[in-house]
Amino acid sequence: MKTFENITVVVQGPVQTLKGRTQEAGITHKCLSSVRQHLPGAIIILSTWPEQQLSGLDYDQLVISEDPGSNIRNFHSDGRPQHYNNNRQIVSTLAGLKQIKTPYAIKLRSDNYLTGNQFVKLQQRYPERCDSHRLFRERVVVCNVFTRKYAKGFRVAFHLSDFFYFGLTEDLLAIWDLELFKDVTIDEATDAKGASRGLLIDCTQMFWLKTLKKFDPSVRLDGLLDNAPETLEKSDIYYANNLIIAEPEALGLSLGEKFSGKARIARQKGKCAQWQYFEWQDLYQKYCQPSFRPYATPWQRLSLTFSRWLHVFPTRIETTLKKVRH
């Protein structure tokens, strides 16, 4: 594909062009320019907030939403509420997606940018699907960064990244047309901590669970490490049958300076805890196409296993002790 007129890119989030911010200088300009370079002909919708510095930014349509503010889902030990931007992400993403008229859509953070367009061909590469646990009309491509297979040393379920999505517009709307999170009270937070032994459901788990519950009300999770075998299997089947999970390099995506270099998630300890592309292919082979052969060498598998024994599994002891104390 030489031009991409059938794709609209929703660049969502605050515009990071002002000095004094903790983001990479000019990152939104870099993001928008990368879309023009790697997806010529695609439409760009910038979905952001009032009073942003928009001069010099290259977009086709601007969507300004009222800021819903941060949401409270936990409290510090001294009683101070912990604030999150979950509702802001829902509002800015959904407001942009609702304006799309093309068949395909991308959800792209305003502090990420494209380095290629490999994700376009990748989205059509795995045609086989089973009838059970099929939610979307086509597969949706997502990034493996923060799509964790392990957390605190243990397997985790439904821990899907919220950075990047590419697929049919109707499928992305099915994912992101979500009700906003309500602020929890300190009593509700205390009860949730007790039920999860102090390990609350992660924010990225919350988004994916909200999506899944629209299709399958039986889906539930009582905490970050609610990882019974049947829960992990259900998580794996939904991954295999609806998504494609791959590294940023395989997609043509950069997460910017904030998530590279010395960032914790960019270190080997963080990387090896995430789902790898060939591990998602293992799920595809298991649940969708038994004749498929994943693109992985024995050395790649051995190296990943060694990294996890070195960086991931030792933290199980610390996590177990914390759960016992709780």
Side-chain angles (χ1 to χ4, degrees), residues 158-177:
F158 306 115
H159 204 305
L160 186 68
S161 173
D162 57 359
F163 279 173
F164 175 90
Y165 289 70
F166 170 64
L168 283 173
T169 301
E170 65 184 81
D171 292 334
L172 264 64
L173 279 167
I175 294 172
W176 283 100
D177 192 358

Side-chain angles (χ1 to χ4, degrees), residues 17-88:
T17 58
L18 301 179
K19 293 182 179 180
R21 301 185 78 103
T22 58
Q23 299 287 357
E24 183 179 345
I27 186 59
T28 306
H29 179 275
K30 188 174 185 177
C31 172
L32 297 169
S33 297
S34 73
V35 176
R36 295 295 191 210
Q37 177 184 354
H38 296 291
L39 296 176
I43 298 169
I44 300 177
I45 295 177
L46 177 60
S47 182
T48 187
W49 313 112
E51 301 180 1
Q52 297 289 294
Q53 177 55 258
L54 303 175
S55 61
L57 297 181
D58 181 13
Y59 52 84
D60 299 301
Q61 184 177 347
L62 179 65
V63 175
I64 301 291
S65 302
E66 182 180 348
D67 186 356
S70 59
N71 56 294
I72 300 170
R73 61 181 300 262
N74 199 7
F75 290 81
H76 296 281
S77 58
D78 61 3
R80 290 180 296 112
Q82 295 182 12
H83 294 274
Y84 297 80
N85 289 322
N86 307 140
N87 287 340
R88 284 176 170 145

Side-chain angles (χ1 to χ4, degrees), residues 252-282:
L253 174 69
S254 175
L255 306 183
E257 293 178 355
K258 184 177 180 180
F259 301 103
S260 61
K262 296 182 179 180
R264 183 171 59 179
I265 197 65
R267 301 171 191 165
Q268 184 59 25
K269 183 176 182 179
K271 286 184 176 181
C272 69
Q274 299 164 160
W275 278 91
Q276 309 299 304
Y277 180 28
F278 70 79
E279 290 183 302
W280 176 84
Q281 291 177 331
D282 290 341

